[in-house]
Amino acid sequence: MDLGLRGKQALVTGSTAGIGFATARQLAREGVHVTVNGRTAGRVDKALEQLRREAPEAQVHGIAADLGSATGCQAVINRLPDVDLLVNNLGIFEPKPFEQIPDEDWLRFFETNVLSGIRLARHYVSGMRTRNWGRIVFVSSESALQIPVEMIHYGVTKTAQLAVSRGLAESLTGTGVTVNSVLPGPTASEGVGQFVAQMAATRGVDPATVEREFFATARPSSVLQRFETPDEIAALITFVCSAPASAITGAALRVDGGVVRAIA
């Protein structure tokens, strides 16, 4: 299928690893000019090197900036004033009991997971509206629908993304600009991989044992019963960004391995 993306300009936030990196790679292979973003120049350079090695013809660039602040978002906007595709993938998570989550953590999670996407979308949507074409994708989580008791603050920010996405889509009624959320399930991202490895080392078991126990106890409703790969998530994000996906907008699209026990 021709996704109709060749020559488009994309920004994928938080894209030096995991779902963001996999999305940047898939978009680049479709002929998109992709800007990779990460907090440090070292991480960005390493991601660009890997992308160019895996896809020698890819048009990829990088911007190092911490989008968890207004200053960081403005730095990206200054260097990349216009895009056709905005994938708001940046997100942080941290298991912590509710009563131990201070105001500072709530504010940090909201600014990083929610405001980063709002600030970027607020800027880029004007150009998309003028051209009457654009794609904005918020990478949310199944945790937006099933708030995890071990990190309520994270779940709240993921739910907030759904509200922003739907509201923004409705503000673009009748245009060629679509806005959607994608909801991954438990994914073998870099952070999750490190967490599982640490748990396994602490207990003296292998990571596969930790993974089986996680799905038996923490996510028993999963139909997949394994961690998804970043590429599996990126495949849906890439399609949602495509020209053939023009009728998909204002949607919360689950790619959660069946962990959410709902038929709609």
Side-chain angles (χ1 to χ4, degrees):
M1 178 184 291
D2 180 6
L3 297 185
L5 292 175
R6 186 163 299 277
K8 299 292 188 184
Q9 185 78 239
L11 169 63
V12 184
T13 69
S15 49
T16 58
I19 294 170
F21 180 83
T23 300
R25 179 171 55 203
Q26 290 193 25
L27 288 173
R29 287 173 173 166
E30 292 295 326
V32 177
H33 296 187
V34 179
T35 296
V36 170
N37 160 254
R39 290 186 178 88
T40 68
R43 294 272 294 179
V44 170
D45 289 344
K46 183 178 179 181
L48 290 175
E49 180 183 348
Q50 184 176 347
L51 284 170
R52 288 167 180 154
R53 185 172 61 250
E54 296 181 6
E57 297 182 1
Q59 297 292 316
V60 291
H61 312 279
I63 301 177
D66 182 359
L67 300 183
S69 70
T71 301
C73 289
Q74 191 60 51
V76 169
I77 289 168
N78 290 344
R79 290 186 55 186
L80 187 67
D82 205 11
V83 299
D84 302 295
L85 316 171
L86 171 62
V87 180
N88 288 311
N89 172 72
L90 175 64
I92 57 174
F93 71 95
E94 178 188 32
K96 184 176 286 189
F98 176 76
E99 62 272 22
Q100 295 177 21
I101 306 172
D103 286 359
E104 292 77 11
D105 281 3
W106 280 99
L107 292 170
R108 177 169 58 91
F109 269 67
F110 191 83
E111 190 156 29
T112 301
N113 293 2
V114 183
L115 272 180
S116 63
I118 290 173
R119 287 166 173 151
L120 295 174
R122 185 171 57 202
H123 172 78
Y124 291 122
V125 73
S126 296
M128 295 179 185
R129 192 194 298 269
T130 298
R131 292 186 299 276
N132 198 37
W133 200 96
R135 301 287 186 263
I136 299 174
V137 180
F138 289 83
V139 181
S140 180
S141 168
E142 56 91 7
S143 294
L145 304 179
Q146 299 182 147
I147 305 296
V149 296
E150 70 275 14
M151 45 184 182
I152 294 172
H153 52 339
Y154 171 76
V156 168
T157 63
K158 296 287 107 176
T159 305
Q161 286 182 306
L162 303 189
V164 174
S165 175
R166 178 67 197 189
L168 182 54
E170 293 196 14
S171 78
L172 293 160
T173 296
T175 73
V177 183
T178 69
V179 187
N180 293 286
S181 295
V182 169
L183 283 66
T187 305
S189 62
E190 183 180 52
V192 169
Q194 292 172 350
F195 178 74
V196 170
Q198 290 170 359
M199 286 284 292
T202 300
R203 295 177 48 203
V205 298
D206 63 2
T209 298
V210 174
E211 180 174 355
R212 285 194 301 272
E213 292 177 353
F214 173 82
F215 284 97
T217 58
R219 295 294 187 276
S221 63
S222 170
V223 177
L224 205 58
Q225 283 294 300
R226 64 165 173 81
F227 288 115
E228 297 171 79
T229 68
D231 281 326
E232 289 174 319
I233 312 303
L236 177 59
I237 296 170
T238 301
F239 178 74
V240 171
C241 287
S242 73
S246 56
I248 303 173
T249 191
L253 304 166
R254 289 165 42 200
V255 55
D256 64 346
V259 74
V260 176
R261 296 199 68 193
I263 61 174

